[in-house]
Amino acid sequence: MPTISWVGVFPICVKRLKALVETEICAGFPMESIIVFDGPLQPPPPWLAAPHLRLVATGRRSGPAAARNLAAQQATGEVLVFVDADVELHAESLFKIRQAFLEDPSLDAIFGSYDDAPAAPGVVSRFRNLLHHYTHQNHAGSASTFWAGCGAMRRDVFLRLGGFDTAYHQPSIEDVELGLRLWRQGGHLVLDPSIQGCHHKRWTLHSMVITDIRQRAMPWSQLLLAEKDTPATLNLSLRGRISGALAPLVPLGLVLTVLPGGLVAGPLLATTALVLLTILNHSFHCFHARRCGWPDAIAGMGLHLLHLCCASGTFAWMATRHVLQKPLTWPLALRQRPALRQGLVLLALLTLALLGLLAISKGLVLGWSNAKDLRERWPEWELFRQGHFPMGGIYGGDPPPGLRTSPYPMWAIPLFALFFVPWGLPQGILTIQVLSLVCLAFIAWIGYQYLAPHGTVAGWFGALAPIAISGNSNALAVAQFSILCMGLVFMEWRQLSRQRPLAAGVSWALAMIKPQISLLHVTPLVLNKSQRKGLWSGLLTLALLSVVAMLHTRLSPFVYGLRFFRVLGKVQDDSGWNLSLQLSHWGAPTWAILVGASLGGTLLWRSWLDWRRQSPTASVPEIAQDRWMILAGLCSLLGYLGFYHRSTDLIMLAPALLALADLSWRWRRLGITSLTLLMGTTVWTPARLLHVSPVLHAMQHWIWWGSALVLAMSFVLPLSPAPKFKQNPASRVAAQ
């Protein structure tokens, strides 16, 4: 019996064990008890002394596997009986174990179960112990695993197998793994439900979830993935596997409810899965109700769902990681045909080039006949030029004729002069098309430089991937500022890489003509103390533009602020799905969403600073240079998923696509490469095709959220190989 303490429930369980051993000795069957203290031996209590009882210690905390192995080496009997320190054996347990080995010389191991009267109070404790009891009671007979809570094994068999695997440093599935090893070698194992013990462990919801994930599901998953022929028994029975597959569909259905097009499919999926789960496990729930009453059983249904979700979710994560961590290699047929392989790569690049050319050509042609967005900006500029701010609800008397409420912020309106002065709307269309093409070329050049260290193919992918984004066509067709803003954002990051924070701040401020695109790209100016002056230059630029707008229109900033929040709420309704839109549908006011986002950003900033203090060996400038595209991609994804956007803003996701491509060439793993291709598919495929099905639309958002998670983890964790970021000599010296 291994233990880490002389107090708690240990005295109850060990006193029962002593009494049963003494009974067996009196009946003429020699036995000994070995108590293993896992760690430096503490002074034992006086009541523990007995002629047949020995105390040994591991010397340091090693886990129950090592403790039981030590006891087995010191034991002298032919059969080893393992009992947990929180299990109180029933009076006949040792007798039944002895009889089983005497009656069947071929028997190698036997184990039992908990009884149906758990000693620990609480709903969670009763549920967990009864679930274990029910599972073991319904799988009597030949077994393929082992249980050390109340089980026995012949000593020579145990030593031949090498004992428990000491890689398990915590109570885990070391007994299951030992049983599987014995079963694979042709051993004879039996589960006898009549061999029982009372479990004294007290479970809480927290301990249940942690144990289910860390000490059960994760090692179980590793075992299942390593051993393909694991038998379908106990928790892995057909009913258990089907239940495990159904359980995650319940929370998945609830999540789908809040996603676009999931209002009907989500609840239907969750309800169907819940009904099937209840039918599959009705016998256990009825047993639970007979033992503890229906209130306990109803609570147990929720706990059972949580238990299954923990197990299935962890297995899905471990299996996905197992598959995705496989090294990426070409199929054998292509490895043997290098010419064909090069042809396919060239075809893929030509396809991206063709997609980009078609999107840009279509957008430029439609831009002169459509230009919907710029045509809406033209009357707004005319009102502003006449001294009227283009926003309804701010005028005390009669509003100016032709008043149109602009969704653009105050500092953006003066910038319209760059497009409309002096020749009006035709100049605006021509200017925005030329600047958009220049920005696309600049983004393509940055993409080529960023990925070129991985090879020529990677460089061309970096150049063509942003150009092929389907939203570029719509942005050019309606004469949107999206491409121009992203060009300025890329310029901001490039200036930061060259240690020019003042210019970077101005670039960011000019990109704030569309805050939903550029707002989160203020992050590097905030995180890097050495570049904080770029933040002040950007804020000063925005302040000067706002002052120009207020002085020209005699508009009070207080009146504007109140009205702008109302305008934002109306603009949100015309957006694609995003987190702030969902919160507004749930009744959250716009000001509360903005305040919550600000507080969340502040909290993340403080967490970053705390992490920085705990990692003094890596300086912040080095992190920014090593991971600038990763952080840019993360900011873009969170901005797209968090704020107002349309399909014309898809160019926002170009940094995320380039960052994922860089990780793909760095790691050369199937998982990250698959995610990169999926990410590319979501931005290269026209939006009207993806929106045909609510499922495709929902999958698009899941891919983006998954990409954001990967980029967030990559930003914190080490990268390999060394960064390939190019700097000029002056900036290298500044970084050092």
Side-chain angles (χ1 to χ4, degrees):
M1 178 183 287
T3 185
I4 59 174
S5 173
W6 302 130
V7 296
V9 300
F10 172 75
I12 300 174
C13 301
V14 78
K15 287 178 181 178
R16 169 57 66 90
L17 178 63
K18 286 172 58 180
L20 295 180
V21 170
E22 289 168 0
T23 302
E24 290 292 308
I25 292 174
C26 292
F29 299 99
M31 282 193 175
E32 61 178 341
S33 304
I34 302 177
I35 306 297
V36 186
F37 195 90
D38 189 16
L41 183 61
Q42 303 296 319
W47 53 261
L48 192 57
H52 58 80
L53 192 146
R54 281 192 289 155
L55 296 179
V56 295
T58 58
R60 61 185 179 88
R61 185 67 64 85
S62 305
R68 293 189 185 108
N69 287 349
L70 178 60
Q73 292 167 3
Q74 305 239 351
T76 58
E78 295 182 3
V79 175
L80 304 172
V81 180
F82 300 99
V83 183
D84 280 345
D86 56 6
V87 173
E88 182 183 3
L89 291 178
H90 281 197
E92 69 284 355
S93 295
L94 292 182
F95 169 77
K96 290 183 176 180
I97 290 173
R98 174 167 53 82
Q99 286 297 110
F101 280 101
L102 288 174
E103 293 174 359
D104 186 358
S106 67
L107 181 63
D108 293 314
I110 190 170
F111 60 97
S113 78
Y114 295 140
D115 62 19
D116 60 354
V123 174
V124 182
S125 298
R126 290 192 291 270
F127 162 74
R128 285 305 302 245
N129 291 315
L130 289 178
L131 178 63
H132 185 282
H133 169 83
Y134 179 84
T135 302
H136 279 226
Q137 291 292 311
N138 285 273
H139 290 86
S142 295
S144 55
T145 64
F146 184 63
W147 180 50
C150 176
M153 185 177 293
R154 295 190 186 275
R155 184 171 180 269
D156 60 336
V157 173
F158 181 86
L159 296 177
R160 187 181 76 240
L161 291 171
F164 295 102
D165 188 348
T166 54
Y168 296 98
H169 298 295
Q170 294 181 333
S172 186
I173 61 164
E174 66 279 357
D175 46 1
V176 174
E177 190 273 338
L178 175 65
L180 283 172
R181 268 189 283 147
L182 176 57
W183 175 75
R184 288 193 176 92
Q185 294 185 14
H188 181 199
L189 300 93
V190 170
L191 194 167
D192 184 352
S194 66
I195 300 173
Q196 296 186 13
C198 177
H199 198 204
H200 286 260
K201 179 176 180 177
R202 176 165 186 164
W203 291 86
T204 64
L205 188 62
H206 177 264
S207 66
M208 169 182 154
V209 172
I210 295 300
T211 301
D212 278 344
I213 294 176
R214 290 184 180 177
Q215 296 168 244
R216 298 292 186 272
M218 292 182 71
W220 252 119
S221 300
Q222 292 171 341
L223 194 62
L224 291 173
L225 294 170
E227 309 289 348
K228 308 299 183 182
D229 60 340
T230 305
T233 183
L234 294 177
N235 294 329
L236 295 180
S237 64
L238 180 60
R239 177 181 298 178
R241 298 188 187 208
I242 296 176
S243 298
L246 287 172
L249 299 181
V250 177
L252 177 61
L254 297 178
V255 171
L256 286 177
T257 304
V258 303
L259 293 180
L263 192 58
V264 175
L268 180 61
L269 178 64
T271 303
T272 303
L274 195 58
V275 169
L276 292 175
L277 268 176
T278 305
I279 293 173
L280 274 173
N281 298 281
H282 75 282
S283 57
F284 166 68
H285 297 314
C286 290
F287 163 75
H288 192 177
R290 288 194 301 271
R291 294 297 303 144
C292 304
W294 276 109
D296 251 39
I298 293 173
M301 292 180 185
L303 292 172
H304 193 226
L305 176 63
L306 177 62
H307 166 71
L308 291 171
C309 286
C310 289
S312 301
T314 304
F315 178 75
W317 167 255
M318 297 291 289
T320 303
R321 192 178 71 166
H322 176 76
V323 172
L324 298 185
Q325 284 182 341
K326 291 182 177 180
L328 184 66
T329 58
W330 288 97
L332 180 61
L334 292 178
R335 289 202 302 270
Q336 296 174 345
R337 297 178 176 86
L340 177 59
R341 186 171 69 242
Q342 294 174 3
L344 290 176
V345 171
L346 180 61
L347 178 61
L349 293 177
L350 289 176
T351 302
L352 285 180
L354 182 61
L355 286 175
L357 181 62
L358 290 176
I360 292 173
S361 302
K362 178 182 176 182
L364 291 175
V365 172
L366 294 178
W368 286 99
S369 59
N370 187 344
K372 177 178 178 293
D373 191 79
L374 202 64
R375 292 181 191 278
E376 293 175 351
R377 305 291 82 77
W378 168 246
E380 295 169 7
W381 166 252
E382 283 293 290
L383 286 169
F384 180 78
R385 188 174 59 84
Q386 298 167 15
H388 305 294
F389 197 86
M391 180 174 288
I394 60 176
Y395 297 96
D398 293 333
L403 176 65
R404 172 182 171 77
T405 296
S406 175
Y408 282 77
M410 179 184 295
W411 56 75
I413 306 299
L415 293 175
F416 290 176
L418 300 173
F419 301 92
F420 298 125
V421 176
W423 296 300
L425 184 60
Q427 173 194 331
I429 297 175
L430 179 61
T431 302
I432 202 168
Q433 287 194 346
V434 171
L435 290 179
S436 294
L437 290 177
V438 170
C439 288
L440 279 176
F442 177 67
I443 294 171
W445 178 63
I446 292 292
Y448 182 89
Q449 281 202 323
Y450 184 68
L451 294 181
H454 297 295
T456 305
V457 171
W460 278 106
F461 178 86
L464 296 174
I467 294 177
I469 292 176
S470 63
N472 295 338
S473 175
N474 295 334
L476 291 169
V478 301
Q480 256 278 6
F481 300 128
S482 304
I483 299 174
L484 176 59
C485 287
M486 278 311 299
L488 289 168
V489 166
F490 272 89
M491 177 61 72
E492 172 204 352
W493 288 93
R494 179 165 178 78
Q495 297 295 345
L496 286 175
S497 72
R498 296 189 166 200
Q499 302 297 317
R500 298 173 182 172
L502 292 177
V506 173
S507 298
W508 169 76
L510 295 177
M512 281 288 287
I513 192 173
K514 287 179 72 72
Q516 69 269 30
I517 287 181
S518 52
L519 178 60
L520 291 185
H521 290 277
V522 74
T523 304
L525 302 176
V526 175
L527 291 183
N528 285 8
K529 187 176 181 180
S530 63
Q531 297 173 342
R532 196 73 50 79
K533 53 187 176 183
L535 173 64
W536 301 119
S537 71
L539 294 177
L540 180 61
T541 303
L542 295 178
L544 290 175
L545 290 171
S546 300
V547 168
V548 169
M550 287 187 291
L551 292 177
H552 184 66
T553 60
R554 299 180 179 85
L555 177 64
S556 164
F558 179 74
V559 173
Y560 169 80
L562 291 177
R563 183 60 184 163
F564 186 67
F565 281 127
R566 298 180 183 178
V567 173
L568 275 182
K570 294 180 180 179
V571 170
Q572 276 278 29
D573 293 335
D574 195 29
S575 167
W577 185 92
N578 60 78
L579 194 56
S580 56
L581 174 64
Q582 190 63 55
L583 292 174
S584 66
H585 286 172
W586 288 342
T590 304
W591 66 267
I593 296 173
L594 293 177
V595 170
S598 301
L599 292 176
T602 303
L603 181 62
L604 289 174
W605 183 23
R606 293 302 301 271
S607 301
W608 164 263
L609 292 178
D610 291 341
W611 180 79
R612 290 293 313 116
R613 294 188 188 101
Q614 296 171 7
S615 305
T617 56
S619 65
V620 176
E622 289 176 347
I623 291 176
Q625 291 161 10
D626 190 7
R627 303 147 196 272
W628 72 279
M629 189 68 80
I630 294 176
L631 183 56
L634 181 60
C635 292
S636 295
L637 276 167
L638 294 180
Y640 198 87
L641 292 167
F643 305 133
Y644 166 87
H645 66 265
R646 293 181 179 177
S647 61
T648 53
D649 301 325
L650 267 177
I651 189 66
M652 282 178 66
L653 303 181
L657 183 57
L658 292 175
L660 288 173
D662 175 55
L663 295 177
S664 299
W665 265 286
R666 283 178 185 265
W667 297 341
R668 298 187 181 276
R669 291 292 185 268
L670 176 62
I672 188 65
T673 303
S674 300
L675 183 61
T676 303
L677 294 177
L678 288 173
M679 180 73 187
T681 302
T682 63
V683 296
W684 296 327
T685 306
R688 64 179 181 275
L689 297 181
L690 291 174
H691 293 181
V692 169
S693 168
V695 176
L696 290 177
H697 196 197
M699 287 177 60
Q700 182 184 46
H701 286 85
W702 281 112
I703 291 170
W704 291 341
W705 281 113
S707 301
L709 178 61
V710 169
L711 292 182
M713 294 174 62
S714 303
F715 182 68
V716 175
L717 300 176
L719 292 180
S720 179
K724 309 173 183 63
F725 191 80
K726 292 186 176 180
Q727 296 175 296
N728 59 27
S731 63
R732 261 197 301 271
V733 173
Q736 294 172 356

Short mmCIF file of all heavy atoms in Angstrom, two decimals, residues 39 220 408 414 610:
data_model
loop_
_atom_site.label_atom_id
_atom_site.label_comp_id
_atom_site.label_asym_id
_atom_site.label_seq_id
_atom_site.Cartn_x
_atom_site.Cartn_y
_atom_site.Cartn_z
N GLY A 39 8.37 9.14 -0.51
CA GLY A 39 9.11 10.33 -0.10
C GLY A 39 10.01 9.98 1.06
O GLY A 39 10.13 8.81 1.45
N TRP A 220 -4.08 8.12 -21.33
CA TRP A 220 -4.88 7.15 -22.08
C TRP A 220 -4.72 7.40 -23.58
O TRP A 220 -4.57 6.47 -24.38
CB TRP A 220 -6.36 7.25 -21.69
CG TRP A 220 -6.89 6.12 -20.87
CD1 TRP A 220 -7.41 6.18 -19.63
CD2 TRP A 220 -6.97 4.74 -21.25
NE1 TRP A 220 -7.81 4.94 -19.19
CE2 TRP A 220 -7.55 4.03 -20.18
CE3 TRP A 220 -6.61 4.02 -22.39
CZ2 TRP A 220 -7.78 2.66 -20.20
CZ3 TRP A 220 -6.83 2.64 -22.42
CH2 TRP A 220 -7.41 1.99 -21.33
N TYR A 408 -17.23 57.10 -40.73
CA TYR A 408 -15.79 57.28 -40.52
C TYR A 408 -15.54 58.19 -39.33
O TYR A 408 -16.30 59.12 -39.05
CB TYR A 408 -15.14 57.84 -41.78
CG TYR A 408 -14.92 56.80 -42.84
CD1 TYR A 408 -15.97 56.36 -43.64
CD2 TYR A 408 -13.68 56.22 -43.03
CE1 TYR A 408 -15.78 55.38 -44.59
CE2 TYR A 408 -13.47 55.24 -44.00
CZ TYR A 408 -14.53 54.82 -44.77
OH TYR A 408 -14.35 53.84 -45.71
N PRO A 414 -10.82 64.88 -42.74
CA PRO A 414 -9.87 65.77 -43.44
C PRO A 414 -8.99 65.04 -44.46
O PRO A 414 -8.54 65.66 -45.44
CB PRO A 414 -9.02 66.34 -42.30
CG PRO A 414 -9.90 66.26 -41.10
CD PRO A 414 -10.69 65.01 -41.28
N ASP A 610 4.19 41.07 -17.05
CA ASP A 610 4.54 40.10 -16.00
C ASP A 610 5.37 38.97 -16.58
O ASP A 610 6.35 38.53 -15.96
CB ASP A 610 3.26 39.55 -15.35
CG ASP A 610 2.54 40.61 -14.53
OD1 ASP A 610 3.18 41.62 -14.18
OD2 ASP A 610 1.34 40.44 -14.27
#
